[in-house]
Amino acid sequence: MTKFNATIPTPKPADEPSPAPAAPAAEKKEVNSDSEMPDQEAQSPKPAAAPQPSMPQAKELPKDEELMEPDTELPPLSIDKSREVSEADMDAANEIKSRAISASDDEAIKLLGEAIEKNPKSSILYAVRGAVFLRMKKPNAAIRDCTAAISLNPDSAKAYKVRGRAWRHLGQYLKAKPDLQLGNKLDFDDGTFQVQKFVEARLADVEAAERKEAARKRDEEIAEKERKLKEE
C-alpha cells in the first residue's frame, strides 16, 4: 500500500502458539538455561537503519512506546567452527559465564567476550550476550549475537526469543513474529508469549487498517465514477 510505505501480505489466520517439549539438551558441560540471565536480548547482519516498523503505521494505531533507537556500531564478531575446543576451554568458559551473570551489564559483555574466546562454538554464550545487549538497548547487537547462536544451534530457544524481542523493539513486527513463535514452541515461557501476543495483535491491527483504507479508496473511486456519469 503506498499510503503507508509498505506492502502487507494477504492476511492469514493467526497461528495458534502452543507449548512444545523442552528444547534439546545443551552442549556438553554447558548450562543452557534461559533463566541464567534474564532478558530485558559468521557474518553479521546489517543493522536496522531506523526504529521504524516494517508494517505501515495507520493513523488510528497507538504509538509503540517501546521502540528503541537502532545501534549502528557493532563490536567485531567471528565464529571459528573449525577450532578444537578442549575440556579445559569449556570449563573455563563456563566459569567466566557464571561470573558474568552477577556482573554489571558492561562487565558482563566483557566477561562473555572472554568466555566466547575460550569456547567459540558455544551457542548459549552468544545468546546470553545477546540478551545483555538488548537490556542495554542495543537491539542490533543482540540480533547479531543471536543470529550467531542460531548458526551454531538451530534449536536455541533463547536465541530466537531474544532476537524476536529485539526485532519487536525495532518495530520489525513481521520479523519478530516467527522468532517469538519458534522460541516459544521450543521452550514456552509466559513473558515471551506476552510479547508474541502484542506483536500478533499489532500486525492484525495494521492489516485491519489497511483493509479499511483500501475500502475507503474503492468507495471514493465508485463515487467519482457515478458523479461523472451523472454529469454526462
Side-chain angles (χ1 to χ4, degrees), residues 31-52:
V31 183
N32 192 349
S33 170
D34 286 359
S35 62
E36 284 186 337
M37 186 166 289
D39 301 339
Q40 280 269 43
E41 338 198 68
Q43 201 74 13
S44 302
K46 293 182 179 180
Q52 297 178 348

Side-chain angles (χ1 to χ4, degrees), residues 104-123:
S104 66
D105 288 344
D106 287 334
E107 182 65 14
I109 293 298
K110 177 182 177 182
L111 289 170
L112 289 167
E114 294 174 5
I116 288 171
E117 288 181 4
K118 291 287 185 181
N119 185 5
K121 294 182 178 181
S122 172
S123 171

